[in-house]
Amino acid sequence: MKSFYKKYFKIKTFQHKRKKHKNEYKIKNNLSINKNDPEPMSLSPNNIKIPYYKYPQVKTSSNQINKYIKSFAVNSYQGLIRDYNEDKVSIILSINKPKNYNEYWPICSYLAIYDGHGGSKCCDYLRDNLHKFIIKNEFFPKFPEKSILKGIEIAEKNFKEFAIENRDYSGSCAIIILLIDEYLYLANVGDSRCLISKNSGQDFEILNNIHRPTEENEYKRIIENGGTIYVSKNKIKRINPGRLSISRAIGDVTIKDPNFGGNKDILISEPEIKKIKIDFNNTDFILLASDGIFENLSYQDCIKSVWNVFNEKKYENIHEFLGNACDMVMKTALKRNSSDNVTCVILGFDNLKKKFKEKIKLNFNTLMNNNFNSNNLFNNNNNNNNNNNNNNNNNNNNNNNNNNNNNNKHQMKITD
């Protein structure tokens, strides 16, 4: 079985590269939940086809999303080196209250980036199903942490069965945001990142830890459970079994299953979950990104890229601005020679909208002042011209008077 896996896996890792691109991300404005319905929910989001041979167009909101989210922008690209994209995105802007649910239902939004490896089957599966496993279980929306844990547990179990049956050994990182009223529930498995900008970019935070063997806690856990860590030829620390540079992921059945020579305690799918209360009075935006963005781009430069776009140009609305900001983050990462797929999602909040309105007002006042100054200059020039004309007229009158006096003198001399 092991020899078959090695032979099959080598073929499989190259086969998926030749496949044409399908939808990299799915966006749905509303999702209705019926927990008692045994049939799978029907999802018919706006499919976005992204040609792999050129840079894709950013997707942005056109109106305010809800009470808390004022706008969003998302884009995903294969990068400069790879001819395939294993980054997938799922966005559900509004999760509707089930018909048979009689208790309080909060304002809910779901956003996630799935960064796949070894093929795209796992990240495709998570994009299409993980939100259903989280939202439809008995813990949602009262206990979001338990809901996320159970959803990922179901996804891991179901995909393992699918992977063994279909001989697919791909895996995926996942970073998930559940916005429930003013609370942010952030779940991370792998090395994608979530940043938050506050006070017009003066402050920012990295909200999640990454899961790599370079991190002290992860290193200790791997060694204690019988795994090893080695440095590859390109000087990257990797786990064994698995040969991955991450220490947590969903899928990867051959790395976890002892029947394939794996160890279930080395590469784990357990997420780290944080609950954060968002202060919308000083929070500008939240940025989700796959690890390709941060390959050669620091967190500070990532936040600066957004604010540089804000300061450089004039935009008609906040949606256009966020779209350009999203592209700027991705293109800055690509300009610094990121070799991975790159994906970025930005959520804009009320403080950013206020800042944007202030900028529009300032631009309008500056324009009006410039027009006023131009009019004053024009009026002053006219007044100066009028004064010059009056002076010229006075000079002409004086000259005429002098000429008359000279003529009179001349006539008097003749008379004498």
Side-chain angles (χ1 to χ4, degrees):
M1 187 68 183
K2 290 181 183 178
S3 61
F4 167 78
Y5 159 67
K6 288 179 181 178
K7 183 179 179 181
Y8 175 79
F9 186 70
K10 285 180 181 178
I11 297 171
K12 191 70 178 176
T13 52
F14 289 98
Q15 280 181 343
H16 76 273
K17 296 181 183 180
R18 295 194 290 269
K19 292 180 181 178
K20 289 186 178 180
H21 267 278
K22 295 184 180 180
N23 305 322
E24 307 300 350
Y25 45 85
K26 291 188 176 182
I27 300 172
K28 189 166 181 67
N29 293 326
N30 294 286
L31 181 63
S32 297
I33 308 299
N34 187 353
K35 297 185 180 182
N36 295 328
D37 188 0
E39 297 296 325
M41 289 186 302
S42 175
L43 290 179
S44 56
N46 297 323
N47 294 331
I48 303 164
K49 295 181 180 179
I50 302 177
Y52 73 91
Y53 52 85
K54 65 179 182 179
Y55 187 83
Q57 184 178 0
V58 66
K59 178 72 177 177
T60 66
S61 54
S62 55
N63 297 302
Q64 180 172 317
I65 309 304
N66 56 41
K67 180 181 176 181
Y68 303 109
I69 304 174
K70 305 303 178 183
S71 60
F72 82 91
V74 56
N75 207 351
S76 182
Y77 182 52
Q78 67 190 34
L80 301 174
I81 296 175
R82 302 184 182 186
D83 60 354
Y84 57 93
N85 192 352
E86 291 173 338
D87 284 358
K88 310 296 176 181
V89 180
S90 179
I91 297 176
I92 301 169
L93 301 172
S94 180
I95 302 169
N96 296 333
K97 179 179 178 179
K99 292 180 180 179
N100 57 342
Y101 193 84
N102 299 321
E103 299 180 45
Y104 170 74
W105 189 266
I107 297 173
C108 306
S109 299
Y110 178 98
L111 301 97
I113 294 177
Y114 309 112
D115 183 356
H117 50 262
S120 61
K121 289 286 179 67
C122 185
C123 54
D124 284 338
Y125 181 84
L126 295 176
R127 178 198 60 193
D128 296 338
N129 296 285
L130 182 54
H131 58 278
K132 293 185 279 186
F133 298 145
I134 292 173
I135 293 166
K136 288 186 71 176
N137 69 57
E138 67 274 16
F139 297 115
F140 190 84
K142 281 188 175 182
F143 307 103
E145 295 101 326
K146 290 182 179 180
S147 179
I148 293 169
L149 282 170
K150 184 166 184 180
I152 291 177
E153 185 182 335
I154 295 169
E156 173 82 347
K157 181 183 175 183
N158 289 1
F159 185 74
K160 180 181 178 180
E161 294 173 1
F162 167 85
I164 293 174
E165 183 181 346
N166 293 276
R167 296 179 177 177
D168 182 87
Y169 308 112
S170 61
S172 180
C173 300
I175 188 161
I176 302 160
I177 278 182
L178 261 179
L179 270 171
I180 299 180
D181 284 341
E182 69 271 20
Y183 286 96
L184 168 70
Y185 296 89
L186 173 65
N188 182 51
V189 180
D191 59 357
S192 296
R193 274 78 152 190
C194 180
L195 310 181
I196 187 168
S197 171
K198 298 180 179 180
N199 301 317
S200 305
Q202 295 178 12
D203 304 308
F204 74 92
E205 294 178 43
I206 304 98
L207 297 182
N208 66 294
N209 299 317
I210 60 172
H211 301 137
R212 287 179 174 174
T214 51
E215 303 302 307
E216 185 179 350
N217 292 337
E218 295 297 294
Y219 180 92
K220 185 179 178 182
R221 178 183 60 78
I222 291 166
I223 299 299
E224 286 178 352
N225 287 286
T228 58
I229 295 167
Y230 70 98
V231 180
S232 62
K233 291 181 180 179
N234 52 359
K235 297 181 180 180
I236 295 175
K237 286 187 177 182
R238 298 181 182 275
I239 63 170
N240 187 34
R243 297 185 297 174
L244 295 176
S245 60
I246 53 173
S247 54
R248 299 194 191 195
I250 300 169
D252 295 298
V253 63
T254 55
I255 300 173
K256 298 173 182 177
D257 193 332
N259 294 324
F260 292 94
N263 184 333
K264 63 181 178 62
D265 297 319
I266 305 302
L267 184 71
I268 61 174
S269 60
E270 181 184 347
E272 275 193 274
I273 302 175
K274 287 186 178 180
K275 178 183 177 181
I276 303 162
K277 187 172 183 179
I278 302 294
D279 184 358
F280 292 101
N281 293 321
N282 67 358
T283 301
D284 310 313
F285 59 83
I286 286 175
L287 185 147
L288 279 178
S290 60
D291 71 302
I293 293 289
F294 302 102
E295 191 171 298
N296 295 308
L297 186 67
S298 68
Y299 300 134
Q300 187 173 7
D301 288 344
C302 184
I303 297 294
K304 277 185 179 179
S305 297
V306 176
W307 288 106
N308 286 343
V309 172
F310 183 85
N311 295 324
E312 278 177 4
K313 297 180 180 179
K314 298 176 182 177
Y315 298 98
E316 293 183 4
N317 54 61
I318 190 173
H319 312 288
E320 183 186 359
F321 154 64
L322 270 191
N324 281 271
C326 184
D327 270 350
M328 179 59 73
V329 170
M330 291 181 57
K331 288 177 180 178
T332 303
L334 294 171
K335 190 177 180 181
R336 298 191 182 184
N337 298 321
S338 175
S339 60
D340 203 352
N341 306 142
V342 287
T343 300
C344 181
V345 180
I346 305 178
L347 295 179
F349 298 113
D350 196 47
N351 197 49
L352 184 65
K353 189 174 183 179
K354 288 177 183 175
K355 188 76 177 174
F356 190 81
K357 286 182 177 180
E358 287 173 8
K359 184 182 179 182
I360 292 175
K361 187 176 180 180
L362 180 63
N363 290 339
F364 178 76
N365 291 337
T366 303
L367 180 64
M368 293 300 293
N369 288 334
N370 290 338
N371 289 337
F372 179 75
N373 292 334
S374 298
N375 290 333
N376 284 343
L377 183 62
F378 179 75
N379 292 332
N380 290 334
N381 289 336
N382 285 339
N383 290 334
N384 290 334
N385 290 334
N386 290 333
N387 291 334
N388 290 335
N389 289 334
N390 290 334
N391 290 334
N392 290 334
N393 290 333
N394 291 333
N395 290 334
N396 289 335
N397 291 333
N398 291 333
N399 290 335
N400 290 334
N401 291 334
N402 290 334
N403 289 334
N404 289 334
N405 291 334
N406 290 333
N407 289 335
N408 289 334
K409 286 181 182 178
H410 185 64
Q411 287 178 4
M412 287 186 65
K413 283 184 182 178
I414 294 173
T415 304
D416 292 335

